[in-house]
Amino acid sequence: MTIFVVMPAYNEEKTIEEVMEKLFSRGFSVVVVDDGSHDATYQVAEDISRNQENQCFIYKHLLNIGLGGALKTGIEAALLHDADIIVTFDADGQHDPDDIMKVCLPIIHGEADVVIGVRDFKHMPDSKKFGNTVMNIITRIFYGINVNDSQSGLRAFKREAAEVIEINARDYGVSSEIVGEIKRHKLRLVEVPMKTIYTDYSMTKGTNLKVGLKILAKLVMNVLK
């Protein structure tokens, strides 16, 4: 099976080279979506990709659309390149590339359509833990499905699952939306534990309470429309 790693990137010039090199060294095909970065993210990714013919595909949004828009572009691109399994992976260095096969194996063994990597909340910094716990509750309330880590950036999709999931959210709300799509299409979901690498840099990224409140406000507004 051909595994494609889809990596949204916004102002990730500090980390993207190391992350891409680790993925290439493990033989994965990579789709990078530069989501309108203001720094040298695109140039760095392009330079690295020159030695990875037919293994790396780089796309660029001229404007910053948001995580959801970047994931949508990346997943559609991976499907065009005949991916059998699509893995979403953060560009800030917080994911361990060795966890990619952990989220792919349930699909390879025919046990799942979608796999979500679950972070260890016991070892999650408090500032992250509160926001992610709130988002799990919000996801359960608005989408009617209970998962252990709704905001995880490490997910694997069987090709057929990626083809039916609809992504409309442009921001971090996409993570909850994907969980909702899993339920709507009655896809088989497996959750597996994953490692998280917390650094001062990666701590500035991802979901926190402020982001969670913005997502909650949008969900409420959608319900009231």
Side-chain angles (χ1 to χ4, degrees):
M1 286 187 168
T2 304
I3 299 173
F4 269 69
V5 178
V6 170
M7 195 160 60
Y10 178 62
N11 292 340
E12 302 285 14
E13 64 177 6
K14 295 179 181 177
T15 55
I16 195 166
E17 179 176 0
E18 181 178 356
V19 174
M20 290 179 68
E21 287 180 344
K22 288 180 178 178
L23 296 175
F24 292 140
S25 70
R26 289 163 173 80
F28 296 118
S29 296
V30 178
V31 173
V32 175
V33 181
D34 174 20
D35 190 27
S37 295
H38 301 302
D39 65 3
T41 295
Y42 183 83
Q43 289 79 8
V44 173
E46 190 175 52
D47 288 345
I48 300 170
S49 70
R50 287 188 180 129
N51 297 323
Q52 307 295 333
E53 188 176 0
N54 297 323
Q55 194 182 356
C56 184
F57 306 91
I58 302 177
Y59 296 80
K60 181 175 179 61
H61 292 165
L62 294 179
L63 299 174
N64 177 232
I65 297 175
L67 176 62
L71 283 175
K72 182 179 176 66
T73 297
I75 290 172
E76 289 177 349
L79 289 172
L80 286 174
H81 291 291
D82 296 326
D84 295 310
I85 297 176
I86 299 170
V87 177
T88 62
F89 197 88
D90 290 351
D92 59 10
Q94 70 168 280
H95 293 159
D96 184 347
D98 289 337
D99 280 339
I100 290 176
M101 287 311 299
K102 291 181 183 176
V103 295
C104 290
L105 282 176
I107 295 175
I108 293 171
H109 293 156
E111 300 165 351
D113 300 311
V114 182
V115 181
I116 295 177
V118 178
R119 294 167 290 183
D120 185 347
F121 277 46
K122 291 181 180 177
H123 295 96
M124 185 179 286
D126 290 341
S127 59
K128 293 282 186 183
K129 185 188 300 184
F130 185 70
N132 281 283
T133 300
V134 169
M135 286 309 303
N136 282 348
I137 295 171
I138 290 173
T139 301
R140 183 164 63 244
I141 291 173
F142 283 87
Y143 293 100
I145 178 171
N146 188 31
V147 295
N148 292 302
D149 191 358
S150 62
Q151 305 306 299
S152 171
L154 182 64
R155 320 170 190 85
F157 302 91
K158 184 180 178 181
R159 178 182 181 86
E160 290 79 2
E163 287 175 332
V164 299
I165 285 177
E166 295 181 17
I167 293 178
N168 296 307
R170 290 191 170 188
D171 53 19
Y172 279 96
V174 65
S175 297
S176 295
E177 183 181 45
I178 287 173
V179 174
E181 286 289 290
I182 292 169
K183 181 184 179 185
R184 186 167 77 92
H185 294 287
K186 299 179 180 178
L187 300 172
R188 296 173 299 163
L189 172 65
V190 169
E191 298 176 280
V192 300
M194 59 175 273
K195 178 181 177 182
T196 305
I197 303 165
Y198 293 109
T199 63
D200 290 341
Y201 181 75
S202 68
M203 283 290 291
T204 65
K205 306 282 183 172
T207 304
N208 52 35
L209 180 59
K210 183 178 179 182
V211 171
L213 291 174
K214 286 183 178 179
I215 295 170
L216 174 60
K218 286 188 176 181
L219 289 170
V220 171
M221 289 175 66
N222 288 336
V223 170
L224 296 176
K225 281 183 179 177

